Amino acid sequence: MVANHTGTVNRRTLLKGVGAGGLAATAGCLGLGGGGGAVTIGQPAALTGQWDFLQPGVSKATDVAVQQINDAGLLDGRELAIERRDTAVEPQEARTVVTQLLENDDAVALLGLFSSELNPLYDFIQDQATPVITPWPGSNFLDTRGGDHGTPEDVSDDEWIWRTVISDTVHTAGAALRALDEDHDTVGIINGNTEGARSWVNGFRNAYEANDGTVAEQVEVSQGSSSYQSALDRLFESDFSAFAVSLPLEDATTLMSDWADGGYGRQPILSDPLAQQDLIDAVGEPLNGAWAASPGESGPNYSAFESAYQAGEGDAEINAWTAPAWDATIVTALAIERAGEATAEAVEQNLGPVSRGPGTEVADFTEGKEALANGDEINYQGAATDVSFTQFGNVLGSVVINQVQDQEFTQIDTITAQELQEFVPEGEY
Amino acid sequence: MGLVQNVIFGLVQGSYIAIAAIGFTMIYGIVNMINFAYGEYLTIGAFVGFVAATALPLPLPAAVLVAMAGAGVVSLLLAKAFFTPINHTGPVPMLLTSIGLGLVLRNVIRLGAGRSARRFDVDTVTYQFRGIPEVPIGPVDLLGDFFVTSEHLVVIGSALVVFLALHALLTRTDVGIAMRAMSDDVDLARVRGIDTQLIRNAVWVLAGMLAGLAGVLLGVQTNVSVSTGFSQILQILAAAILGGAGSPYGAIAGAYVIGLVLALSTAFLPASMTGVSSAMAFLVLVLVLLVKPSGIAGQEVREA
């Protein structure tokens, strides 16, 4: 019997075929796993705003890491694509950007968001059920929030936020210990009125007072002011030997210039974002001797990161968030590789297993991919820290002290993660 | 340190707010618009001055003149391009246009100038006054140790020069007298033969020049960045309203009230409240307007 074909295709069959083909073609983009399309990771970024001076190093580290991942081949040849959108570190803008990245760009994970954005958007992030692996936030608000609570397979108790930079609780403890070691048993504090600026101060103050230091006076200022002289005058009425400053760079430039002009003297202790050459260039010689405690480069594979970074295009300087950005990108790609699929839930379930479990220690994505292909479990050893996520999605690392000497920051001391762990035991960060 | 020191800080802050507020309020008085893009004119002036001082490089006084000229020209060109064509539509479209223009200008400056804050390379001399006998007045000391920097003196001195020049302009020149006439009644000024468009152009240029000067002074005192002017616009607006919108002399008074309130509230509020000193300036604004709705030097509101 001859089939009843006339050279035309039934319209319903055609629609089915087109639909199936379209679904197959877009499966990768939709995160349905296993398809051949690019896997998109979103990067909410500080391209503008008060913290934008830190973004170039983070963007470059991310791009170099993505290039390395794509050279090795993600999920047997799928491209990893970064979609970067500007939040200006404004919570409302960040909310919009997150929605765009998830809804429009189909991102399966996010590699960004600052404390100033994460804290007010915490519930919103939970609703998105997409992992945020961020190199930025120090906020102690996150010390006992985030991560998978140690149960990778069960996402019902997950809090979807992971950070590859040490908490303010950790590195401000380093600053406090250093101040006390220098016999500054009484300090003044001046800080901005945003979440990030306050978080640094809270961490510093808690650690400092817990170790018998005394805060003589704390003055909070409105960021964006054209003058901080009255606030400085207020602060320096009190008796102390050192003062801690927590402000964004632009405001700190004004404040420390006012401080220099006023000849107030005493020992400045800077928050970690202020370890920038621009600050020295603006304030000049009076800043000599000032120091900042910053997240250290205690990852076992910092040198591998550094050489890859320096070989990459662009001249952005490395800052304290650059290596954590590298780690965030690599560990996320390893989670996708271990899952064998690119979905938000798969990434969430695999971030713990590739970072903290027993298994072959790997230094980069290529090594991790090979080990996973051999059926081994892996443990990513990062650049900024060893990236062993706690149950709350945090990491522990060393703190370095950078001091202004001869008009540039020089690393003069390192406080190891082990030393700090005595002051900030796991479960508190 | 104490009251005298903070009064000095307040006078410095009031001085550059006053210079900018004069231009802002003259636009309101003569062109009849609130120009929210005016803060960006300060930024433009600061950057023009910075480039003149570093790239050319010119000495600071010459860079100031270049900044004033540059900002004056930009102000006139922007007015011709965006405000004059819709001048007949009333104050609300003009206000909205200025807000939009401000956003555009800020982002264009950001694209061109990048992210970093810059500092003018000026040598600061600090004059210390020590051992002044203290004169207790209530809970505070009137005198005592205090300091003044060369930047403080430049800012305050520049403001005094501007005030004297403004007074001479408004009282001794035909252009200034025409400005006052237009501010009082533009229709009457026109029938009396005043070229109102020419005077409006003069106001745009003058306001831009004042913004340029204020921008450079701010840059010298703080730093030059994309947000240099934008961060000042609310204080400029407050000074103009407090003084009596449209009144240059009132704007000067309003600016010094704002500057002193900012400095003194930071100094004497409880430590936990020092972050809200800018709110105190606006609280004073509201209190003054409750007592005198037309502002310090504004004309009484006439019933229709």
Side-chain angles (χ1 to χ4, degrees):
Chain A
M1 185 177 176
V2 178
N4 186 22
H5 282 179
T6 60
T8 60
V9 180
N10 176 292
R11 192 168 67 93
R12 186 180 297 255
T13 306
L14 174 66
L15 289 174
K16 281 182 183 173
V18 170
L23 188 60
T26 56
C29 298
L30 292 171
L32 299 179
V39 175
T40 301
I41 294 180
Q43 186 165 50
L47 298 176
T48 60
Q50 288 177 314
W51 302 99
D52 60 2
F53 61 98
L54 300 171
Q55 184 66 43
V58 164
S59 294
K60 181 179 171 182
T62 308
D63 293 342
V64 172
V66 167
Q67 184 61 52
Q68 193 179 84
I69 292 160
N70 284 334
D71 288 346
L74 182 70
L75 294 179
D76 293 326
R78 290 178 68 181
E79 282 272 306
L80 180 64
I82 286 289
E83 198 65 46
R84 185 170 296 135
R85 289 178 182 266
D86 182 23
T87 71
V89 200
E90 295 287 346
Q92 282 308 317
E93 192 62 26
R95 187 186 182 101
T96 303
V97 162
V98 167
T99 303
Q100 288 172 334
L101 288 168
L102 300 184
E103 300 292 332
N104 300 351
D105 304 324
D106 300 312
V108 297
L110 302 176
L111 302 181
L113 296 175
F114 284 62
S115 304
S116 307
E117 300 164 313
L118 278 171
N119 297 11
L121 297 181
Y122 180 78
D123 291 337
F124 170 73
I125 294 293
Q126 302 308 309
D127 292 341
Q128 306 312 304
T130 299
V132 175
I133 309 99
T134 169
W136 295 115
S139 173
N140 19 55
F141 175 85
L142 295 173
D143 284 356
T144 53
R145 294 179 176 86
D148 60 6
H149 292 200
T151 54
E153 289 301 317
D154 175 15
V155 296
S156 66
D157 62 349
D158 284 19
E159 292 179 293
W160 302 95
I161 297 172
W162 309 72
R163 52 179 167 182
T164 51
V165 69
I166 59 175
S167 161
D168 281 347
T169 302
V170 179
H171 67 84
T172 56
L177 294 177
R178 165 85 183 174
L180 290 166
D181 282 349
E182 286 193 321
D183 295 328
H184 296 300
D185 54 9
T186 305
V187 298
I189 295 173
I190 190 162
N191 64 279
N193 55 356
T194 58
E195 183 64 34
R198 284 178 179 147
S199 172
W200 189 94
V201 164
N202 289 340
F204 176 83
R205 187 167 186 155
N206 289 341
Y208 187 73
E209 291 181 330
N211 289 281
D212 299 328
T214 301
V215 176
E217 180 74 288
Q218 179 176 348
V219 175
E220 183 167 287
V221 296
S222 298
Q223 290 173 200
S225 296
S226 57
S227 171
Y228 293 106
Q229 286 176 314
S230 300
L232 281 169
D233 208 54
R234 172 68 179 269
L235 181 71
F236 280 83
E237 283 176 0
S238 298
D239 188 24
F240 51 79
S241 59
F243 66 105
V245 180
S246 177
L247 279 168
L249 181 61
E250 191 175 325
D251 297 304
T253 301
T254 301
L255 183 134
M256 294 308 291
S257 299
D258 289 346
W259 165 79
D261 292 347
Y264 291 105
R266 309 189 207 178
Q267 171 67 52
I269 300 170
L270 306 172
S271 63
D272 47 318
L274 300 181
Q276 303 284 325
Q277 186 62 37
D278 283 353
L279 184 66
I280 301 173
D281 294 343
V283 178
E285 205 169 319
L287 206 61
N288 275 336
W291 55 263
S294 305
E297 300 137 3
S298 59
N301 294 301
Y302 183 83
S303 59
F305 147 74
E306 190 178 28
S307 59
Y309 183 88
Q310 301 298 359
E313 288 182 15
D315 56 0
E317 285 183 25
I318 291 177
N319 59 53
W321 294 267
T322 309
W326 168 274
D327 287 338
T329 313
I330 302 279
V331 79
T332 303
L334 287 172
I336 293 171
E337 192 69 22
R338 182 178 184 275
E341 61 175 340
T343 65
E345 187 169 311
V347 175
E348 178 73 7
Q349 288 176 318
N350 286 277
L351 284 165
V354 299
S355 66
R356 64 185 170 210
T360 306
E361 291 187 352
V362 298
D364 57 30
F365 179 77
T366 307
E367 285 183 21
K369 181 182 169 69
E370 286 175 6
L372 289 168
N374 292 334
D376 297 340
E377 289 294 345
I378 60 170
N379 184 317
Y380 172 61
Q381 298 289 295
T385 70
D386 60 8
V387 193
S388 292
F389 285 124
T390 68
Q391 60 171 326
F392 298 118
N394 296 323
V395 293
L396 183 65
S398 65
V399 170
V400 294
I401 306 297
N402 290 299
Q403 188 173 49
V404 183
Q405 296 179 347
D406 299 326
Q407 294 298 281
E408 63 180 18
F409 278 102
T410 303
Q411 191 171 317
I412 59 166
D413 198 7
T414 299
I415 304 173
T416 66
Q418 288 72 28
E419 289 175 82
L420 289 165
Q421 205 158 18
E422 295 175 22
F423 295 93
V424 281
E426 184 167 347
E428 292 183 14
Y429 66 90
Chain B
M1 299 185 190
L3 182 62
V4 170
Q5 185 67 76
N6 283 288
V7 167
I8 292 168
F9 296 152
L11 291 176
V12 172
Q13 205 155 358
S15 292
Y16 47 65
I17 295 173
I19 293 169
I22 291 168
F24 183 88
T25 206
M26 288 181 80
I27 293 173
Y28 178 83
I30 294 170
V31 186
N32 194 30
M33 74 168 287
I34 293 174
N35 185 8
F36 263 98
Y38 192 70
E40 312 315 321
Y41 297 8
L42 269 71
T43 309
I44 290 168
F47 272 106
V48 170
F50 183 79
V51 170
T54 54
L56 291 178
L58 295 176
L60 190 59
V64 167
L65 294 176
V66 171
M68 292 175 70
V73 170
V74 168
S75 171
L76 180 62
L77 292 177
L78 291 173
K80 290 287 183 189
F82 296 101
F83 298 132
T84 304
I86 61 167
N87 202 21
H88 61 284
T89 59
V92 174
M94 298 273 275
L95 172 69
L96 295 176
T97 301
S98 76
I99 293 172
L101 179 62
L103 281 169
V104 171
L105 287 175
R106 192 152 63 255
N107 284 289
V108 168
I109 295 167
R110 176 177 289 130
L111 283 174
R115 296 174 294 273
S116 302
R118 300 159 172 85
R119 286 276 291 175
F120 279 93
D121 185 17
V122 292
D123 290 327
T124 303
V125 181
T126 303
Y127 305 96
Q128 300 280 357
F129 297 88
R130 296 188 184 281
I132 309 289
E134 293 182 351
V135 181
I137 294 184
V140 297
D141 296 328
L142 180 60
L143 294 176
D145 293 353
F146 60 93
F147 69 89
V148 181
T149 70
S150 52
E151 292 163 8
H152 293 159
L153 297 175
V154 166
V155 173
I156 294 173
S158 299
L160 289 174
V161 170
V162 166
F163 302 157
L164 292 173
L166 173 80
H167 182 68
L169 174 78
L170 293 178
T171 57
R172 305 282 172 84
T173 69
D174 291 344
V175 171
I177 291 167
M179 287 177 179
R180 288 164 57 199
M182 280 185 68
S183 180
D184 283 344
D185 190 328
V186 68
D187 292 327
L188 185 59
R190 189 183 300 113
V191 299
R192 293 295 300 268
I194 292 174
D195 185 343
T196 53
Q197 189 54 50
L198 180 68
I199 298 302
R200 282 197 185 94
N201 291 346
V203 167
W204 283 116
V205 172
L206 181 60
M209 291 174 69
L210 291 169
L213 174 60
V216 175
L217 293 176
L218 259 172
V220 170
Q221 176 74 17
T222 60
N223 53 56
V224 180
S225 76
V226 172
S227 58
T228 292
F230 179 68
S231 62
Q232 300 301 307
I233 189 65
L234 286 180
Q235 290 169 15
I236 294 168
L237 174 68
I241 293 173
L242 187 59
S247 165
Y249 299 112
I252 296 170
Y256 281 109
V257 171
I258 297 287
L260 288 167
V261 169
L262 283 171
L264 295 173
S265 61
T266 302
F268 297 113
L269 277 174
S272 59
M273 294 178 64
T274 46
V276 298
S277 60
S278 55
M280 295 301 295
F282 286 92
L283 180 62
V284 169
L285 168 66
V286 171
L287 293 176
V288 170
L289 293 184
L290 280 174
V291 177
K292 198 169 188 302
S294 57
I296 295 171
Q299 295 173 351
E300 294 303 324
V301 178
R302 285 176 294 209
E303 295 293 334

